């Protein structure tokens, strides 16, 4: 015996194993000994396996081994040999869960990230090795203790209350968040930690899992990063850092402004993008040469080079490079860049003649050989809408559309190289671009100009020609309209001479434009009109009486070929001031319309003769044609329907929507009925409705509204016949017993769905074939004879009877069948024979199985319970007694509800009654997990499968197979807890097998490497390695498998890893080996990206280099005003010998006494209120030199640490005597030199930009002595904000004090002040 469950479990069909040795179901190592085990039992009677349940390996048909639970029972029959019955339960899933549980426990235990789990009372239930190393406590010391053990006292005292409040309210405060807390080690040391807490809830588990990571190093990294960012943002010069590959690693704010790139556009890309092509081409070679020789040619020197902006513009810079060496093969290079382009442009611009074009109404622009604008006149400002200061010093490409701008530098370079003139010295029309992006046409004239001793310059005059082009375009449009018009147009003058002859006129009349130009229009007329036309024209000119003008009439016209044709003529007069009139004629060829009239008459005659009703409607639904056949079909006369809405031929429910359908089609053009054939209902004049088949076509004629033509066919008889056939076919197909219909020759005419299922043939394989194909050969050979004999004699042997025969399936299998045959006779057609053929195989099998059923049920280790349709227990096996605790006599005859929890029991009778009525299966033929109840009242989890058996008489019984899952559920819950802990861990955890294939890939691994778990499972681990490591990894694994010598396992090491996007990063890995029961191994890898530890030293070094290398003074203080760091430039500025003399001192030593006294209170107020007055701003203040002298500085302050009391502030200080003049000082000089009063212009922090001649005479200083100095050098107390007049004192070069009246005017949007002095 080999039942269906065994077939599903092992993959064999019963006929393949019956009479075979049971060894085919065993692994070879067990199978080879089985016969001897069996013989030994028969000889000794000693039971080792019988009546026991054990776990072993079994083998499926495909050769795969699987774990199974085996129970063997012996059946003895008097006088016969013993039979052994084995019950085999596939426990693959159970074993898998147990293995997962064990694996997850070991992974969590060995994880390198600290993991702890507590219960709702705060008691520690899990404490892994990483927690031991982080906190110093062994697991045995803390498991069972309250988690408050590892907290600061202030939190420890309140933690239990927090937990209780959460359990009561469910309100989350810490759960599912990540925050920083203070943790406590066993040695009482406190440290900063990152805490992530997640809740895990299952049926009988409620845990809180926490990942606690020491972030001390990361905090130090963040501070170094903020200092670095603050320095880079405050520096007045661009700073760029690169690595040895030339890849940009940082890009300061000033660098973004200078080069035009955002940080995100350059970080990670090669620095060559910032260089001219000739330099970029060789830069990688320079880096490679330096890496191998270490000979410095550029490093630690300052040089002048050219750089390239994002827009392609080249500009001069001064470059200083510093190197930070990490290892012999790894360095960071810091570049300090000073943009000299503005200075160069201004120096050249000062040599131009400012007045040569200032008053010109024509826009004028002057550029240098590199394309930078040197002059931009007032007229140019009005034309382009830019201010001169927004354009001067920038590339002239900004005034051009992109398609021209991208080539302009190349044009300039080509001219410089070859001297070939394409634009210079000539005038042409081009496109220009205004400030708002609008493009417009200009006529451009360009010439070159060269001043003595200076580089070449170009002067361009540009005239806006927008209106001219608009006029030209209007003329082109009018001509285009004339040419595109489909109606012939002819214009003549007052003498009848043809002036214009359109394209449509040329096509209709056959003349070319040259053949008609200047000819009399009479050439286009018939002889009768031509001879009188000049007289008509003259009479109209004399009298003004209109006969043809402003009318439309049909006339005869003549083509070039002499052919006459009908034309519709309209003439209009166009008057011209002071000039003779022009006459415009529209002549439409009516030839096709006349032909269409004839065609329409012919079509109407054909439609009237058609036997299929034809109805035509317009686009509003009005009937325009109703043929004779339509009148007969609908009962209406022609007069009754013409002009009426076609809705009158439809039932009301269709008619009410029809106008809407037509309207939608007119609006959208979407066809739903047009071009299709569909069945609808029509309505007769007498109100009766009948089915029709309708086809609708749309007819469109140029210039006309569409017409819809419908062909309507009455299909009443077709539908009735189709309905009868459908009923018959449906009845046959719905029958569960196969139905086959044959004709008198034995040919199959019908083969029902049930027949397809029983015989295995498709319908089209049988219909048209002889019925013999469904019979065994011995019956098939005589069937035609039986049929012929019946037709000849009429003697019935099979017809009108039921008998058992043998039939044959498509696969050749012969099976018992019960057949009934009936003859169908009809007048006028041959007889057909209907056969009902029921597969009787089940009846025979059921009879045999029933004999074994009782034995199997009692011996089965799986509990079996049989109930009737009312839920009364009919059978309760021994295994059921053991599982449920009830003896069989206490259950038989009782309702099965006694074995269920109350929640299920109270509804069970209702469920059963509903199923007996509807037969909708929710439980039957399915497997589900639910709760059951033992005799002692305890609940347990079981897996239940229910089968329905229909007995003779139609009554059903239900067999329930119940498996106790208590042990499985416990193991699965434990596995879920451990798996959840592993997946929630913030450290990347990866499991591979001995072939290197990934078996597990947690969330943190997904975040670290960029791959999803689905992308990595089953892939080789070397996918996460750089190529040079990946190529050797399989070899490492093979070597370990052969030698078991550990190099990586149970060690920690730093390696390089690779993300999905190709990025290489440093990581610390720790690998553990997990031995499996089958002798194989799994390897668990914990991967920690070295973001903090590896970068702290690097960032510190970068910061140190930046601080040391920048020429600008830098000072950093803490929240108590103590100087924690400063650079050599700061020591030099304040007169100290080295930074050590400043660091550790209060910053007040650098301030005048009055400022120093207030500074501490300013800082205290900021820490309390958070209101910024000096932070994140730049201001001019006085500083105190070591010698005691005061000097003016500009100071910019940034806050770089803002957590708690650990505040830090970074200041960048620039002495005012080093500030340079504004780039537009030349303009200010021109204004001031024209004034008669002394004038001084200064920038926003008081640096003198302009000092005119009257000021030189008043104060005795020359211009060169004052430019660049602070204005306080000549005006006591400096100048304030914008105001009208006030009296101040000035100091002349001789030291004499002068009393003057001072007026201050703000210039350049607050960037500069103009000071006017009047002596008192």
């Amino acid at each position: 015996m080999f039942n269906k469950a065994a077939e599903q479990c092992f993959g064999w069909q019963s006929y393949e194993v019956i009479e075979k040795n049971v060894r085919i179901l065993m692994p070879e190592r067990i199978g080879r000994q089985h016969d001897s085990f069996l013989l030994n039992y028969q000889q000794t009677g000693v039971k080792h396996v019988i009546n026991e349940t054990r776990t072993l390996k079994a083998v499926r048909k495909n050769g795969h081994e699987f774990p199974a639970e085996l129970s063997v029972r012996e059946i003895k029959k008097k006088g016969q040999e013993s039979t052994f019955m084995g019950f085999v339960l596939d426990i693959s899933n159970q074993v898998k869960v147990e293995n997962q549980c064990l694996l997850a426990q070991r992974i969590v235990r060995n994880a390198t990230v600290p993991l702890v789990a507590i219960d709702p009372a705060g008691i520690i239930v899990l404490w892994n090795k990483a927690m031991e190393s982080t906190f110093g406590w062994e697991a045995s010391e803390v498991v069972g203790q309250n988690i408050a053990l590892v907290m600061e006292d202030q939190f420890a005292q309140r933690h239990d209350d927090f937990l209780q409040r959460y359990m009561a309210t469910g309100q989350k405060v810490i759960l599912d968040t990540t925050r920083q807390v203070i943790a406590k080690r066993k040695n009482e040391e406190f440290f900063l930690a990152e805490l992530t807490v997640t809740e895990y809830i299952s049926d009988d588990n409620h845990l809180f899992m926490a990942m606690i990571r020491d972030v001390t190093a990361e905090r130090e990294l963040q501070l170094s990063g903020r200092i670095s960012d603050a320095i880079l943002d405050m520096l007045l010069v661009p700073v760029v850092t690169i690595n040895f590959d030339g890849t940009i690693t940082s890009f300061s704010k000033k660098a973004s402004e200078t080069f035009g790139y955002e940080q995100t556009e350059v970080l990670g890309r090669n620095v060559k993008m910032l260089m001219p092509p000739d330099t970029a081409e060789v830069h990688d070679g320079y880096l490679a040469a330096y890496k191998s020789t270490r000979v410095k040619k550029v490093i630690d020197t300052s040089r002048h080079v050219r750089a390239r902006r994002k827009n392609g513009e080249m500009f001069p810079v001064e470059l200083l490079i510093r190197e930070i060496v990490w290892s012999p093969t790894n360095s960071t290079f810091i570049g300090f860049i000073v943009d000299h382009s503005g200075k160069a442009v201004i120096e050249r611009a000062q040599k131009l003649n400012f007045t040569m074009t200032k008053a010109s109404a024509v826009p004028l622009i002057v550029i240098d050989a590199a394309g930078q604008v040197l002059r931009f006149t007032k007229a140019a400002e009005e034309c382009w809408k830019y201010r001169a200061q927004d354009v001067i010093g920038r590339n002239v490409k900004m005034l051009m559309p992109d398609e021209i701008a991208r080539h302009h530098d190349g044009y300039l370079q080509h001219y410089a190289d070859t001297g070939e003139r394409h634009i210079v010295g000539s005038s042409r029309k081009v496109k220009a671009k205004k400030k708002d992006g609008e493009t417009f046409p200009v006529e451009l004239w360009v010439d070159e100009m060269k001043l003595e001793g200076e580089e070449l310059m170009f002067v361009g005059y540009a005239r806006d020609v927008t209106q001219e082009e608009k006029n030209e375009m209007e003329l082109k449009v009018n001509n285009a309209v004339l040419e595109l018009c489909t109606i012939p147009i002819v214009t003549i003058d007052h003498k009848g001479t043809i002036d214009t002859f359109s394209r449509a006129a040329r096509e209709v009349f056959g003349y070319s434009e040259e053949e008609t130009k200047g000819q009399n229009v009479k050439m286009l007329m018939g002889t009768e009109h031509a001879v009188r036309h000049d007289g008509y024209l003259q009479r109209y000119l004399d009298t003004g009486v209109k006969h043809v003008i402003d009318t439309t009439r049909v006339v005869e016209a003549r083509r070039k070929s002499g052919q006459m044709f009908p034309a519709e003529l309209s003439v209009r007069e166009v008057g011209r001031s002071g000039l003779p009139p022009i006459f415009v004629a529209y002549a439409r060829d009516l030839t096709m319309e006349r032909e269409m009239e004839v065609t329409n008459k012919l079509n109407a005659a054909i439609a009237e003769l058609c036997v299929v009703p034809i109805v035509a409607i317009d686009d509003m639904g009005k009937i325009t044609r109703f043929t004779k056949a339509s009148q007969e079909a609908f009962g209406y006369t022609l007069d009754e329907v013409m002009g009426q809405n076609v809705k009158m031929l439809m039932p009301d429910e269709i008619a009410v929507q029809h106008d809407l359908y037509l309207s939608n089609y007119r609006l959208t053009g979407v066809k739903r009925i047009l071009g299709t054939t569909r069945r609808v209902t029509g309505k007769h004049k007498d109100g009766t409705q009948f089915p029709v088949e309708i086809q609708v076509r749309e007819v469109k004629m140029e210039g006309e509204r569409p017409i819809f033509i419908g062909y309507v066919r009455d299909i009443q008889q077709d539908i009735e016949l189709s309905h009868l056939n459908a009923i018959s076919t449906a009845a046959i197909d719905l029958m569960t017993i196969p139905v086959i219909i044959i004709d008198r020759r034995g040919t199959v005419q019908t083969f029902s769905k049930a027949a397809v299922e029983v015989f295995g043939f498709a319908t089209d394989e049988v219909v048209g074939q002889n019925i013999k194909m469904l019979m065994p050969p011995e019956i098939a050979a005589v069937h035609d004879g039986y049929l012929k004999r019946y037709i000849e004699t009429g003697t019935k042997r099979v017809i009108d009877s039921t008998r058992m025969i043998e039939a044959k399936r498509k696969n050749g299998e012969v099976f018992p069948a019960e057949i009934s045959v009936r003859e169908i006779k009809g007048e006028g057609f041959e007889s057909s024979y209907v056969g009902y053929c029921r597969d009787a195989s089940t009846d025979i099998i059921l009879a045999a199985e029933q004999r074994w059923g009782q034995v199997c049920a009692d011996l089965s280790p799986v509990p079996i319970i049989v109930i009737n349709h009312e839920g009364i227990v009919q059978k309760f096996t021994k295994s059921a007694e053991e599982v449920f605790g009830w003896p069989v006599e206490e259950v038989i005859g009782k309702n099965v509800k006694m074995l269920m929890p109350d929640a299920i029991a109270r509804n069970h009778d209702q469920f059963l009654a509903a199923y007996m009525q509807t037969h909708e299966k929710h439980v039957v033929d399915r497997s589900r997990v639910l709760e059951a109840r033992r005799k002692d009242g305890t609940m347990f989890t079981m897996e239940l499968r229910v089968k329905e058996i229909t007995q003779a008489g139609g009554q059903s019984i239900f067999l329930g197979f119940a498996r106790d899952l208590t042990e499985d559920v416990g193991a699965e819950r434990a596995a879920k807890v451990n798996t959840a802990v592993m997946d929630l861990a913030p450290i990347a955890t990866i499991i591979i097998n001995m072939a290197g294939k990934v078996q597990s890939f947690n969330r943190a691994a997904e975040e670290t490497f960029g791959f999803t778990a689905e992308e990595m499972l089953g892939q080789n681990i070397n996918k996460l390695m750089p190529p040079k490591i990946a190529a050797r990894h399989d070899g490492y694994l093979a070597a370990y498998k052969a030698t078991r010598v550990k190099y990586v396992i149970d060690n920690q090491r730093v390696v390089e890893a690779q993300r999905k996007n190709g990025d290489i990063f440093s990581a610390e890995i720790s690998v553990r080996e997990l031995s499996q029961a089958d002798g194989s191994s799994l390897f668990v890898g914990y991967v920690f990206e070295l973001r903090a530890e590896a970068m702290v030293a690097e960032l510190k070094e970068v910061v140190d280099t930046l601080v040391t290398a920048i020429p600008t003074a830098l000072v950093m203080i803490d929240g108590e005003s103590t100087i924690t760091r400063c650079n050599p430039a700061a020591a030099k500025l304040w007169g100290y010998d080295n930074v050590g003399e400043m660091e550790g001192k209060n910053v007040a030593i650098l301030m005048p006494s009055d400022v120093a006294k207030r500074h501490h209170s300013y800082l205290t107020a900021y820490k309390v209120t958070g209101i910024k007055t000096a932070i994140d701003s730049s201001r001019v203040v006085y500083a105190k030199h070591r010698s005691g002298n005061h000097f003016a500085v500009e100071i910019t302050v940034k806050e770089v640490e803002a957590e708690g009391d650990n505040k830090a502030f970074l200041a960048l200080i620039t002495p005012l005597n080093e500030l340079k003049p504004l780039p537009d000082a030349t303009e200010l000089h021109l204004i001031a030199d024209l004034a008669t009063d002394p004038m001084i212009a200064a920038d926003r922090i008081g640096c003198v930009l302009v000092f005119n001649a009257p000021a030189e005479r008043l104060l005795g200083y020359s211009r060169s002595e004052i430019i660049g100095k602070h204005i306080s050098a000549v005006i006591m107390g400096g100048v304030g904000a914008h105001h009208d007049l006030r009296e101040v004192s000035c100091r002349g070069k001789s030291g004499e004090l002068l009393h003057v009246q001072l007026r201050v005017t703000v210039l350049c949007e607050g960037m500069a002040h103009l000071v006017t002095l009047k002596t008192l």
Side-chain angles (χ1 to χ4, degrees), residues 455-718:
E455 294 181 358
L456 184 66
M457 289 175 285
F458 300 92
V459 180
Y461 296 89
R463 185 170 63 85
D464 187 344
V465 294
T466 303
Q467 188 59 44
E468 289 181 16
E469 289 201 351
K470 183 178 180 182
N471 295 339
E472 292 176 4
M473 181 57 69
E474 287 178 355
L475 179 60
K476 291 178 181 178
V477 168
N478 290 334
N479 290 334
V481 169
L482 185 67
E483 284 299 294
L484 292 173
C485 183
T486 56
I487 298 174
I489 298 174
V490 182
T491 66
I492 63 173
D493 62 13
H494 63 292
K495 295 180 180 180
T497 303
I498 296 173
D499 182 55
T500 302
F501 200 67
S502 72
R503 178 184 57 79
R506 298 195 292 272
E507 292 173 355
V508 168
F509 287 93
Y511 288 101
S512 67
E513 189 172 11
E514 292 75 15
E515 291 176 301
T516 58
K517 191 78 170 178
Q519 300 296 317
N520 194 290
V521 74
K522 295 185 293 186
M523 65 188 293
L524 308 178
M525 304 175 186
T527 306
E528 180 183 351
H529 290 288
V531 296
R532 296 196 293 268
H533 187 263
D534 288 344
Y536 295 154
L537 191 57
Q538 188 59 50
R539 189 179 306 119
Y540 171 69
L541 292 173
D542 294 341
T543 65
V545 179
K546 297 179 180 179
H547 294 285
V548 177
I549 295 170
D550 296 334
T551 66
T552 300
R553 59 176 58 192
V554 177
V555 299
E556 288 292 314
R558 182 172 60 188
R559 307 188 203 276
K560 180 179 179 180
S561 63
Q563 177 190 359
M564 304 301 293
F565 65 95
E568 183 181 76
L569 177 67
S570 298
V571 181
R572 297 291 183 270
E573 179 183 8
V574 180
R576 297 182 295 172
S577 178
L579 295 173
I582 292 175
F583 301 95
V584 181
Y586 301 86
R588 186 164 64 86
D589 188 349
L590 298 179
T591 304
M592 292 186 65
E593 290 185 17
R594 294 286 175 86
E595 292 175 354
M596 184 67 72
E597 289 177 6
V598 175
T599 302
N600 287 342
K601 290 178 182 178
L602 178 62
N603 288 339
I606 294 171
E608 286 301 312
L609 294 173
C610 181
V611 296
V612 177
I614 299 174
V615 180
I617 64 172
D618 62 16
D619 61 339
M620 301 304 292
K622 298 297 174 59
I623 297 173
T624 58
R625 177 165 290 178
F626 198 69
T627 65
K628 198 169 204 174
S630 301
Q631 296 170 33
E632 294 171 357
F634 288 92
Y636 287 101
T637 65
L638 183 64
D639 294 338
E640 289 176 307
V641 297
M642 289 300 289
Q644 301 297 315
N645 195 296
V646 74
K647 295 187 293 186
M648 66 188 294
L649 308 180
M650 306 172 188
D652 293 342
E653 62 272 17
I654 301 175
V656 295
Q657 298 291 333
H658 191 261
D659 287 344
L660 179 61
Y661 297 154
L662 275 174
S663 176
N664 286 341
Y665 176 66
R666 289 197 301 271
L667 292 174
T668 66
V670 177
K671 296 180 179 181
R672 301 186 186 278
I673 297 177
L674 291 177
T676 65
T677 300
R678 58 170 60 193
R679 292 183 174 185
V680 297
T681 302
K683 187 174 74 173
H684 197 272
K685 180 179 178 180
D686 62 10
T688 58
Q689 297 182 10
F690 59 99
V692 296
E693 183 177 79
I694 182 169
Q695 293 181 331
V696 182
R697 298 289 185 270
E698 181 181 15
V699 178
K700 289 184 177 179
M701 291 180 289
E702 186 176 354
E704 297 291 334
R705 290 162 57 187
I707 295 173
F708 303 97
I709 300 176
Y711 301 86
V712 186
R713 185 170 68 85
D714 187 341
I715 56 171
Q716 181 69 43
Q717 291 184 351
D718 294 0

Side-chain angles (χ1 to χ4, degrees), residues 136-208:
W137 276 290
E138 297 292 329
S140 58
E141 295 178 281
V142 294
V143 171
Q145 301 293 317
N146 195 291
I147 190 67
L149 184 72
V150 301
M151 302 177 182
E152 271 187 309
D153 292 341
Q154 57 176 329
F155 290 107
Q157 294 167 3
R158 294 179 291 170
H159 188 259
D160 288 345
D161 293 337
F162 294 156
L163 266 178
Q164 291 174 12
R165 189 178 305 120
Y166 171 69
M167 296 302 295
T169 65
Q171 185 175 351
K172 296 181 179 181
V173 180
I174 296 178
L175 280 178
D176 300 330
T177 66
T178 298
R179 56 176 59 194
Q180 290 190 347
V181 298
I182 301 297
K184 184 176 71 174
R185 306 189 206 275
K186 183 178 181 180
N187 62 7
E188 300 293 323
E189 175 191 343
F190 293 97
F191 66 97
L192 186 66
E194 183 181 80
L195 172 69
T196 303
V197 183
T198 305
E199 183 178 20
Y200 175 79
I201 302 174
S202 66
D203 297 334
D204 56 357
N205 282 298
H206 195 145
L207 297 177
F208 299 96

Side-chain angles (χ1 to χ4, degrees), residues 342-359:
K343 179 181 177 182
V345 171
I346 291 166
E347 288 174 352
R348 289 195 301 272
Q350 287 173 340
K351 298 174 184 178
L352 290 175
N353 184 349
F354 267 68
T355 59
M356 59 183 285
T357 57
K358 197 165 186 178

Side-chain angles (χ1 to χ4, degrees), residues 420-475:
E420 294 178 7
R421 292 190 171 199
H422 295 288
I423 297 176
V424 176
S426 64
S427 173
R428 62 171 57 189
K429 287 186 178 180
V430 297
K431 286 287 186 181
K433 184 176 72 174
K434 297 183 182 180
K435 183 177 181 179
D436 60 5
E438 178 191 351
T439 59
F440 64 101
V442 296
E443 183 178 42
L444 177 68
W445 180 84
V446 181
D447 207 349
E448 61 181 331
M449 177 176 67
K450 189 170 184 180
L451 300 179
E452 187 176 352
E454 291 296 328
E455 294 181 358
L456 184 66
M457 289 175 285
F458 300 92
V459 180
Y461 296 89
R463 185 170 63 85
D464 187 344
V465 294
T466 303
Q467 188 59 44
E468 289 181 16
E469 289 201 351
K470 183 178 180 182
N471 295 339
E472 292 176 4
M473 181 57 69
E474 287 178 355
L475 179 60

Side-chain angles (χ1 to χ4, degrees), residues 1272-1319:
S1272 60
V1274 292
I1275 299 177
M1276 307 299 291
V1279 293
H1282 176 73
H1283 51 75
D1284 289 333
L1285 294 171
R1286 70 183 175 99
E1287 294 182 5
V1288 298
S1289 296
C1290 294
R1291 180 187 291 110
K1293 184 174 181 180
S1294 64
E1296 178 187 0
L1297 291 180
L1298 304 174
H1299 298 289
V1300 297
Q1301 192 177 59
L1302 174 145
R1303 180 191 297 274
V1304 180
T1305 304
V1306 178
L1307 301 176
C1308 305
E1309 299 179 350
M1311 293 298 292
H1313 297 79
L1314 184 64
V1315 182
T1316 305
L1317 307 177
K1318 284 186 179 293
T1319 57

